[in-house]
């Protein structure tokens, strides 16, 4: 499992895609290996649509099957074929926001973090390789309201646990991978 | 071109001045030098993110403008804050600004002969 983190516009998505593609190519079972892209973003407006179009164009021709899964990420497993698979999950910041704010606010930040980690462990067990993209949302120094603070804390917890679980952790800065683990 | 990035107040300018033996009065702050004045080498541009912002406010295209500037002045050190590591701003302009600075840095890093990232005044060469 590989964890890729970075800020906005850092180039983390394209690095994560390259990683998934090269993991598939390195595999001895390259021919039967299916690549899945788990998309978590919910679209509400034109900006969201543009963002999705940009990401689709980035992935074009790389052979990913896209599964839209804004919440309950392990449900995506039921939508995949059997056999060898590489999963690229993008991204934890959307997934966490969807889990925390879309529902009727029934979950605490710790429950959200626990549920997401449980799902990701399941994904990791049932895939040959898992590449997870997450965001650095921690360094703008702004004191936010309670809801956003809870979100930042949940993200921090999830990122730490993902990093502990991952075999490799990479931070992308200005498109350049910096290996952290 | 050399690119120096990092969080705010990490000592990026001081690092550059010391490393290259330059004086602060030769540094361009948040602006690109005009052609005629470009005598000093290397050209140091500090607070590059502020230049991007000012070009966006004026309706310019910072992505193209910086590349054509570099075509005429490759001996250049660009210093820029990393501003993308926070919560997505509610304001659409701020969102766009943050993302465009990030993407311009990706393009500059590709073109740069060296990229250094400064934290606590310490430079880490990442390219």
């Amino acid at each position: 499992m590989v964890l890729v983190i970075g800020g906005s516009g850092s180039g983390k998505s394209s690095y994560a895609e390259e990683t998934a593609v090269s993991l598939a190519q390195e595999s001895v079972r390259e021919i039967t290996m299916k690549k899945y892209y788990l998309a978590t973003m919910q679209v509400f407006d034109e900006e969201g649509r543009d963002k999705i179009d940009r990401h689709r164009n980035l992935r074009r021709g790389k052979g990913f099957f896209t599964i839209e899964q804004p919440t309950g990420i392990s449900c995506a497993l039921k939508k995949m074929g059997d056999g060898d698979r590489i999963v690229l999950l993008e991204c934890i910041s959307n997934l966490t926001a969807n889990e925390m704010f879309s529902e009727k606010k029934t979950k605490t930040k710790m429950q959200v973090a626990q549920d997401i980690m449980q799902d990701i462990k399941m994904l990791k067990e049932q895939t040959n390789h898992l590449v997870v993209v997450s965001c650095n949302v921690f360094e703008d120094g702004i004191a936010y309201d309670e809801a956003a603070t809870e979100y930042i804390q949940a993200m921090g917890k999830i990122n730490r646990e993902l990093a502990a679980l991952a075999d490799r952790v990479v931070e992308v800065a200005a498109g350049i991978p910096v290996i952290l683990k | 071109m050399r690119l120096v990035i990092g969080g705010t107040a990490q000592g990026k300018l001081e690092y550059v001045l010391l490393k290259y033996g330059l004086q602060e009065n030769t540094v361009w702050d948040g602006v690109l030098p005009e052609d005629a004045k470009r005598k000093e080498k290397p050209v140091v541009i500090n607070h590059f993110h502020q230049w991007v912002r000012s070009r966006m406010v004026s309706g310019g295209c910072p992505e193209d403008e910086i590349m054509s500037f570099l075509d005429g002045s490759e001996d250049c050190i660009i210093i820029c804050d990393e501003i993308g590591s926070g919560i997505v701003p509610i304001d659409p302009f701020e969102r766009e600004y943050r993302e465009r600075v990030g993407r311009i840095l990706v393009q500059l890093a590709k073109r740069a002969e060296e990229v250094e990232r400064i934290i606590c005044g310490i430079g880490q060469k990442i390219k």
Side-chain angles (χ1 to χ4, degrees):
Chain A
M1 171 177 159
V2 183
L3 172 65
V4 179
I5 63 161
S8 168
S10 62
K12 58 188 183 303
S13 302
S14 74
Y15 178 79
E17 279 161 29
E18 284 165 24
T19 302
V21 169
S22 65
L23 283 169
Q25 284 165 350
E26 284 161 23
S27 167
V28 285
R29 291 193 285 269
E30 190 195 343
I31 301 154
T32 54
M33 187 75 73
K34 292 190 193 81
K35 294 194 288 290
Y36 293 94
Y37 179 87
L38 305 194
T40 57
M41 204 180 130
Q42 290 173 307
V43 181
F44 301 106
D45 57 13
E46 197 182 335
E47 188 181 330
R49 272 190 294 278
D50 288 350
K51 213 173 177 74
I52 284 183
D53 284 347
R54 206 185 65 79
H55 279 226
R56 278 201 185 126
N57 285 332
L58 265 175
R59 290 200 302 279
R60 186 153 294 147
K62 292 178 182 162
F64 284 96
F65 298 95
T66 299
I67 299 173
E68 307 267 351
Q69 195 71 51
T71 56
I73 200 72
S74 64
C75 299
L77 283 164
K78 295 175 205 140
K79 301 173 188 170
M80 294 176 200
D82 293 331
D84 296 320
R85 52 202 179 193
I86 287 183
V87 169
L88 169 54
L89 165 58
E90 179 157 24
C91 75
I92 296 298
S93 59
N94 281 328
L95 181 63
T96 304
N98 296 342
E99 296 276 359
M100 272 184 105
F101 305 122
S102 317
E103 289 178 39
K104 295 157 210 143
K105 282 238 53 165
T106 47
K107 285 186 190 178
T108 66
K109 63 183 176 195
M110 287 310 135
Q111 276 172 316
V112 167
Q114 261 172 26
D115 290 353
I116 288 176
M117 284 313 297
Q118 204 173 351
D119 278 359
I120 285 172
K121 280 174 193 158
M122 208 187 289
L123 279 177
K124 183 178 186 273
E125 279 161 21
Q126 298 187 38
T127 52
N128 298 56
H129 295 286
L130 175 63
V131 180
V132 178
V133 179
S134 191
C135 279
N136 180 340
V137 296
F138 312 102
E139 296 176 6
D140 60 15
I142 299 170
Y144 288 99
D145 63 14
E146 198 186 333
T149 304
E150 294 244 311
Y151 169 76
I152 293 169
Q153 284 169 353
M155 278 290 290
K157 186 170 171 58
I158 294 166
N159 276 0
R160 296 195 302 274
E161 291 188 16
L162 285 172
L165 195 66
D167 306 289
R168 185 150 46 111
V169 182
V170 182
E171 183 189 12
V172 181
I176 299 168
V178 178
I179 310 296
L180 300 180
K181 175 179 170 183
Chain B
M1 180 263 294
R2 291 163 194 275
L3 182 63
V4 177
I5 59 171
T8 191
Q10 295 303 302
K12 297 186 290 299
L13 177 61
E14 199 179 66
Y15 178 88
V16 166
L17 294 178
L18 207 66
K19 181 171 175 181
Y20 298 99
L22 301 169
Q23 296 300 313
E24 192 163 352
N25 58 15
T26 65
V27 171
W28 297 87
D29 193 359
V31 289
L32 299 188
E34 290 154 30
D35 276 331
K37 291 179 184 167
R38 232 188 292 157
K39 296 265 161 52
E40 304 271 355
K41 299 281 171 159
V43 173
V44 181
I45 300 152
N46 194 25
H47 297 130
F48 177 75
H49 57 288
Q50 287 173 3
W51 174 79
V52 173
R53 190 184 185 93
S54 68
R55 294 310 301 143
M56 283 176 65
V57 170
S58 317
C61 181
E63 292 82 358
D64 294 345
E65 290 169 25
I66 185 61
M67 287 305 167
S68 37
F69 170 80
L70 288 172
D71 289 339
S73 179
E74 215 32 84
D75 189 6
C76 173
I77 301 168
I78 297 176
I79 305 172
C80 185
D81 279 11
E82 287 184 275
I83 60 165
S85 293
I87 293 292
V88 180
I90 295 167
D91 182 74
F93 177 84
E94 296 297 334
R95 263 200 314 271
E96 188 189 336
Y97 162 59
R98 209 173 74 118
E99 188 155 339
R100 279 174 82 171
V101 168
R103 297 202 189 291
I104 292 172
L105 285 184
V106 173
Q107 294 310 314
L108 289 177
K110 274 187 195 158
R111 184 165 174 160
E113 58 193 271
E114 183 184 69
V115 181
E116 286 185 289
R117 203 174 189 206
I118 314 298
I119 185 159
C120 305
I122 298 167
Q124 186 184 23
K125 184 173 165 148
I126 60 173
K127 179 183 172 184

